[in-house]
Amino acid sequence: MKSTPLSLIAGVVALAAVTGFAALTAPGDEGVTEAKAAARLPVERSSLLCPAPSTSDLADTTYTSFTPAGEGGGEAGAAELTPAEPLPADEDALPADQDDEGKKDEGKKDEGDKGDEGKEAADTKPVLSLKGLGKPSTAETSKSGAPALVGTATGSFAPGWAAQQTTVAAAGGARGLLGVSCTAPDTDFWFPGASTGASRQDYVHLTNPDDTAAVADIELFGAEGALKSDVGEGITVPARSSVPMLISTLTSEAAENVTVHVTTRTGRVGAVVSAAEDEVGSDWLAASADPASTQILPGIPADATSVRLVAFAPGEDDADVKVQLMGKNATFSPAGNSTLHIKSRMTASIDLKDVTRGEPGSLRLSPADGSRTPVVAALRVVRGTGAKQEVAFIPATGPVGERATVADNRAKGSVLSLTAPGGTAEVKVTASEGSEGGSASVKTYTVKSGTTLEVTPEVPAGLKGGYALTVETESGGPVHAARTLTLKESGIDMFTVQTLPDDGGTVEVPAAEQDLTVLDD
């Protein structure tokens, strides 16, 4: 007799590593009463989407790609960002990817032998390829009209893969530092904090990474409920393309505070909002964490001159939430704004002014009446005054969990905020080696319960270029984190804030209960 092992278990493990879910049952398994403990395995594929950057001729954009060093989904793999839409062979709106020596990729056809194959090669050429684990790769462009990017990481590059798009617009209506962590495609997004007011020009950017068209719906909700819209339904996003929608053109109603809800009927998209405010600045508004009864908004700068909370209750019930600031030493309720009543499917807001009063802080929303009605939320944060104002947005975000990463940190101007809404926690913060040189550094921090700890990361020794920050929970309660990046431009301290939710680099894979070996005669 010889034994032939089936590949079913391997197939289930591979499926779970990609999708995050797997189940295995076998007929006649009367002896099995409960499943064994699930194992956590690294994912084998990740997808990220970066929106089209500023169309200004005075803007410079940096793309950064990074995967933390460590055990990944196999030895082989790659991580690439490519244009969502095909580019002409002579298009120079984006940088050419470069090899380890900084030279443009080889293998182009001769001038007299381009043809269709040459055009296809140009169309699909990566804008940025990650060269190794634990070290960022970067690319830059100053061209207007650069397209959105579609990214895929496989094998060892997939677990924890992060990408950042950072744009500096020196002047004009979209002046500001615009930063956004490239996001995974999905089917449901909430954006409290948008606006259809006369002083704002907000766009919803929808990017389709797939080879078939997606169909999306956009709903808008103001302080009195849904805003009437005849053009927000059935928006087609063609295959591998991006569609920006000016929010104010979707309705005739002007509202200062709007919650945008993006869903898809078919397919999936990446969604993010670009917000530009006259005489204040511009930045990206990322999606809020999924609706929940408790929401954490970390990383309000100590010198914030204006903070506005915008919240929305998507269910059928009203929500009453406690509003608490987790400061440097304790948790307290802002004077006169200890609670917020949010009517069902209506956008509510509070002007918290300079709530942090010179100390870093994070906001916690939690049930005030025990109803546990789910909400979504975001903060509009302004630093500076008069002509030197600058704006950024902080959406509610999930905890760091096992690990979270933010790319594109600079030698100066990077600040990390850590808050522990539950028990005291310890976290390990790794500053990676630089994109052009420098050795990684590691430091452990204790975050006391109910407080926000603001730290200036220890810059990697011999740093050249930029670096990535990876935060890992070592012990204690959950930790929420955000990174503030500040750059001085034209006498203005421009800034942007990115949150650090769990990177989802591992998934649970149920253990098989039965030996599935087949015995052949």
Side-chain angles (χ1 to χ4, degrees), residues 108-146:
K108 290 185 178 179
K109 290 183 177 288
D110 294 335
E111 290 297 319
D113 188 28
K114 288 185 177 179
D116 291 340
E117 292 183 6
K119 183 177 185 300
E120 177 66 20
D123 288 351
T124 59
K125 186 176 183 61
V127 171
L128 180 60
S129 297
L130 189 55
K131 305 306 179 184
L133 302 179
K135 180 178 181 179
S137 293
T138 63
E140 298 179 351
T141 182
S142 58
K143 301 292 185 179
S144 63

Side-chain angles (χ1 to χ4, degrees), residues 33-81:
T33 57
E34 61 182 57
K36 294 180 181 178
R40 295 201 68 87
L41 295 178
V43 298
E44 295 181 349
R45 184 181 179 88
S46 296
S47 296
L48 293 176
L49 305 174
C50 309
S54 172
T55 57
S56 171
D57 291 329
L58 302 175
D60 297 306
T61 297
T62 299
Y63 303 97
T64 307
S65 177
F66 176 80
T67 296
E71 295 185 4
E75 294 298 326
E80 296 181 339
L81 292 168

Side-chain angles (χ1 to χ4, degrees), residues 64 163-166 177-182 283 298-301 392-395 397 400 404-418 429 453-457 466-471 480-486 495-501:
T64 307
Q164 165 92 8
Q165 177 180 293
T166 308
L177 177 63
L178 299 85
V180 62
S181 296
C182 301
D283 204 355
I300 305 173
F393 298 88
I394 304 175
T397 187
V400 166
T405 294
V406 62
D408 195 12
N409 296 279
R410 315 290 175 90
K412 296 181 179 180
S414 291
V415 174
L416 183 65
S417 293
L418 306 166
V429 177
L453 175 66
E454 183 179 271
V455 299
T456 299
Y467 65 97
L469 281 172
T470 298
V471 181
H480 296 247
R483 186 280 312 273
T484 299
L485 178 64
T486 302
F495 77 112
T496 182
V497 181
Q498 280 73 56
T499 58
L500 283 78

Side-chain angles (χ1 to χ4, degrees), residues 208-299:
N208 178 6
D210 299 319
D211 293 330
T212 56
V215 178
D217 294 327
I218 301 177
E219 298 176 286
L220 307 177
F221 300 90
E224 302 299 324
L227 302 183
K228 184 178 180 180
S229 175
D230 297 326
V231 293
E233 296 183 354
I235 299 170
T236 298
V237 186
R240 292 187 63 86
S241 68
S242 185
V243 175
M245 302 291 296
L246 181 59
I247 297 174
S248 61
T249 64
L250 301 179
T251 180
S252 60
E253 300 181 54
E256 183 178 9
N257 300 301
V258 172
T259 298
V260 178
H261 186 208
V262 176
T263 57
T264 61
R265 301 183 186 183
T266 59
R268 54 182 190 157
V269 296
V272 66
V273 172
S274 64
E277 187 168 353
D278 294 344
E279 300 181 0
V280 179
S282 62
D283 204 355
W284 292 101
L285 168 61
S288 168
D290 290 340
S293 59
T294 297
Q295 295 284 15
I296 308 298
L297 301 94

Side-chain angles (χ1 to χ4, degrees), residues 417-473:
S417 293
L418 306 166
T419 187
T424 296
E426 285 196 356
V427 295
K428 181 175 72 174
V429 177
T430 301
S432 75
E433 57 184 288
S435 57
E436 299 174 21
S439 54
S441 64
V442 179
K443 193 167 184 178
T444 299
Y445 298 93
T446 298
V447 189
K448 294 181 180 180
S449 174
T451 68
T452 296
L453 175 66
E454 183 179 271
V455 299
T456 299
E458 187 173 308
V459 176
L463 174 66
K464 293 181 180 180
Y467 65 97
L469 281 172
T470 298
V471 181
E472 299 172 85
T473 304

Side-chain angles (χ1 to χ4, degrees), residues 193 221-225 257-259 310-312 342-343 345-349:
F221 300 90
E224 302 299 324
N257 300 301
V258 172
T259 298
V310 183
F312 181 80
I342 311 169
K343 294 182 179 180
R345 300 178 70 79
M346 297 183 187
T347 299
S349 63

